[in-house]
Amino acid sequence: MTKIKCLNPISHVGMDLLTDNYELTDNFAEADAALVRSASVHDLELPDSLLAIARAGAGVNNIPLEKCADKGIVVFNTPGANANGVKELVLAGMLLGARDIIGGANWVQDHKEDPAINKTVEKSKKQFAGTEITGKKLGVIGLGAIGVLVANAANHLGMEVYGCDPYLSVEHALNLSHNIHVVKDNDTIYENCDYITVHVPLLDATRGMINKDTIAKMKDGVIILNFARDLLVNDEDMAEALSTGKVRKYITDFPNAKSANMPNTIAIPHLGASTEESEDNCAVMAVKELTDYIENGNITNSVNYPTCSLGPVPEGVVRVCIAHRNVPNVIGRFTSILGEADVNIRDMVSKSRGSYSYAIFDLDHPMQSDYLEKLSDMNAVLKVRIIEK
Ligand SMILES: NC(=O)c1ccc[n+]([C@@H]2O[C@H](COP(=O)([O-])OP(=O)(O)OC[C@H]3O[C@@H](n4cnc5c(N)ncnc54)[C@H](O)[C@@H]3O)[C@@H](O)[C@H]2O)c1
């Protein structure tokens, strides 16, 4: 029986996927695997029994990744599981930028006691009139899980969409509508688009990427959407551009002390992924990653070990899974120990990521336990596991 510790409540839609081979435990010290959302794992003692931690969400700064990797504990996250929730809010953000819906709704609240409001509305409404998004040019910076969905949806709404991503993955390229103009650099987006939406991670290379220099390249009256991270935008430069009208509206899901006080800004309290569906999707993805690792030893969407898979364990096969340090000659040593054990390797895969590696060997029949000990005793080896069906 595999013992799972939930460090936070996890949506039942995900937990329902656990079969009778799993049981929940309250005691982290005896857990084989853990599921977590925002609880901090930094101060917890990691038990020797722990094989994996799955974070139902994208950010993993609540988990000590290096410490886990060093103990052979694989940490997973759920990239893209909340992408649709963010995409829908970006579309709402564009519409809020195009028309003064918020100003109009506030006006109705301010005049709700007026018995003739149905007539006054008609006289006052022109101050809230706006534009339509159909036919406008949208630039999407970063065509990852969220950017691709935004680009495709905006295209369906009749926008002319430009996208830029220097590291566009094959998976995301395949999901991108052929109507999207994929451009080589962000300048093409800055110079041509009426709306610009940013969907890149916060890295040294992207920090402050929307600044006075890039804004200067943009069309007058551009609308900028930031549903990624506040520090992608230089707030001083944005405030200046908003006050002159160079930027018509700034819509952000990451308000801070500066942007919350800027003119012509719509700041939303980080609601992008705050949907029931996003929470369910994250839980389902986290549980699937965890159970595939426990039952088959496969790694998908890990943040401290490489992606590595041989699919489901075939009938009659003994699978040996080894988390180890990425040092020379380790695979040669593994295969010679398996050779000494006189077992046939039917299939194998080995992948590395930074200082850590992971190898899976499918054997035609079991090997004696002393060879397993030989593998475990190697200095470079962090965890060895046998899976049999
Ligand atoms: N508002 C929210 O609630 C919410 C929720 C989830 C994610 N996010 C944020 O949204 C952003 C995108 O998330 P995602 O899940 O789509 O990530 P992702 O990793 O799937 O996609 C990011 C893309 O940006 C690209 N990229 C990196 N540097 C670039 C650059 N300089 N120019 C253009 N493209 C570049 C990458 O190649 C990648 O394809 C992240 O910053 C993430 O933190 C926000």
Side-chain angles (χ1 to χ4, degrees):
M1 192 70 83
T2 302
K3 292 189 166 63
I4 308 269
K5 166 72 181 162
C6 291
L7 295 162
N8 292 104
I10 303 291
S11 155
H12 75 89
V13 181
M15 298 309 286
D16 289 351
L17 298 174
L18 293 173
T19 63
D20 293 345
N21 296 328
Y22 295 86
E23 67 179 6
L24 298 182
T25 175
D26 286 335
N27 185 5
F28 187 56
E30 63 167 20
D32 299 300
L35 284 157
V36 64
R37 284 168 60 199
S38 56
S40 175
V41 185
H42 285 286
D43 296 329
L44 299 180
E45 178 112 5
L46 300 170
D48 289 341
S49 57
L50 198 68
L51 299 172
I53 299 174
R55 153 95 166 102
V60 283
N61 52 12
N62 55 328
I63 305 171
L65 302 184
E66 188 77 17
K67 195 168 143 194
C68 286
D70 226 40
K71 291 198 75 164
I73 298 166
V74 180
V75 179
F76 299 93
N77 72 345
T78 58
N82 48 26
N84 190 64
V86 181
K87 171 203 85 181
E88 291 190 7
L89 203 63
V90 172
L91 296 179
M94 273 199 290
L95 295 168
L96 292 175
R99 304 177 183 208
D100 192 6
I101 301 167
I102 294 177
N106 288 340
W107 181 91
V108 172
Q109 278 306 303
D110 292 344
H111 295 79
K112 64 184 177 194
E113 309 297 345
D114 175 2
I117 189 167
N118 54 333
K119 299 219 168 64
T120 350
V121 156
E122 295 308 322
K123 282 190 209 135
S124 303
K125 69 178 184 184
K126 64 173 178 295
Q127 61 183 305
F128 307 114
T131 53
E132 298 183 15
I133 58 173
T134 297
K136 301 293 184 305
K137 290 184 177 144
L138 169 69
V140 182
I141 299 178
L143 293 168
I146 298 170
V148 165
L149 294 184
V150 169
N152 290 347
N155 175 245
H156 281 129
L157 291 172
M159 299 186 87
E160 193 180 337
V161 183
Y162 293 75
C164 180
D165 190 327
Y167 320 104
L168 180 61
S169 72
V170 174
E171 182 200 347
H172 291 131
L174 287 171
N175 287 330
L176 197 62
S177 156
H178 66 271
N179 292 327
I180 312 301
H181 309 287
V182 178
V183 296
K184 286 207 173 68
D185 57 51
N186 292 338
D187 282 359
T188 313
I189 286 179
Y190 297 146
E191 286 157 16
N192 290 291
C193 292
D194 307 296
Y195 292 77
I196 295 176
T197 184
V198 183
H199 299 288
V200 299
L202 179 64
L203 308 167
D204 286 344
T206 58
R207 187 180 296 266
M209 68 188 292
I210 303 297
N211 54 45
K212 60 177 182 316
D213 297 332
T214 51
I215 291 172
K217 296 176 186 170
M218 296 179 194
K219 289 169 87 166
D220 291 343
V222 64
I223 292 178
I224 299 179
L225 300 111
N226 176 9
F227 285 71
R229 285 291 174 256
D230 64 336
L231 296 179
L232 296 168
V233 172
N234 180 307
D235 288 323
E236 274 80 28
D237 296 353
M238 177 60 83
E240 168 67 19
L242 285 161
S243 66
T244 62
K246 171 75 187 179
V247 175
R248 179 146 63 107
K249 286 247 171 77
Y250 176 45
I251 299 114
T252 178
D253 200 21
F254 291 91
N256 58 31
K258 285 179 193 150
S259 60
N261 291 291
M262 285 181 194
N264 300 323
T265 296
I266 299 172
I268 300 164
H270 194 188
L271 293 180
S274 297
T275 64
E276 286 173 23
E277 292 84 351
S278 284
E279 217 164 275
D280 291 349
N281 291 344
C282 287
V284 166
M285 199 163 164
V287 169
K288 283 186 175 168
E289 289 163 358
L290 208 57
T291 52
D292 190 29
Y293 182 64
I294 287 162
E295 293 167 24
N296 300 304
N298 297 324
I299 300 180
T300 315
N301 292 329
S302 171
V303 285
N304 63 348
Y305 271 89
T307 295
C308 189
S309 173
L310 276 185
V313 181
E315 199 68 40
V317 156
V318 175
R319 180 165 287 180
V320 184
C321 304
I322 310 175
H324 62 95
R325 292 188 200 288
N326 185 14
V327 289
N329 201 25
V330 178
I331 299 296
R333 188 75 191 106
F334 292 160
T335 50
S336 59
I337 291 174
L338 294 173
E340 284 168 39
D342 203 22
V343 288
N344 184 43
I345 300 172
R346 182 198 279 213
D347 206 349
M348 65 163 286
V349 62
S350 162
K351 300 280 180 196
S352 298
R353 174 183 180 145
S355 309
Y356 300 96
S357 299
Y358 188 75
I360 307 176
F361 296 90
D362 274 0
L363 310 179
D364 273 341
H365 51 85
M367 61 179 175
Q368 286 173 355
S369 59
D370 35 337
Y371 293 104
L372 184 62
E373 276 163 31
K374 274 192 179 182
L375 287 172
S376 306
D377 286 348
M378 285 174 59
N379 277 338
V381 169
L382 301 164
K383 204 153 232 148
V384 181
R385 213 153 52 96
I386 301 281
I387 304 170
E388 286 179 71
K389 283 268 157 87

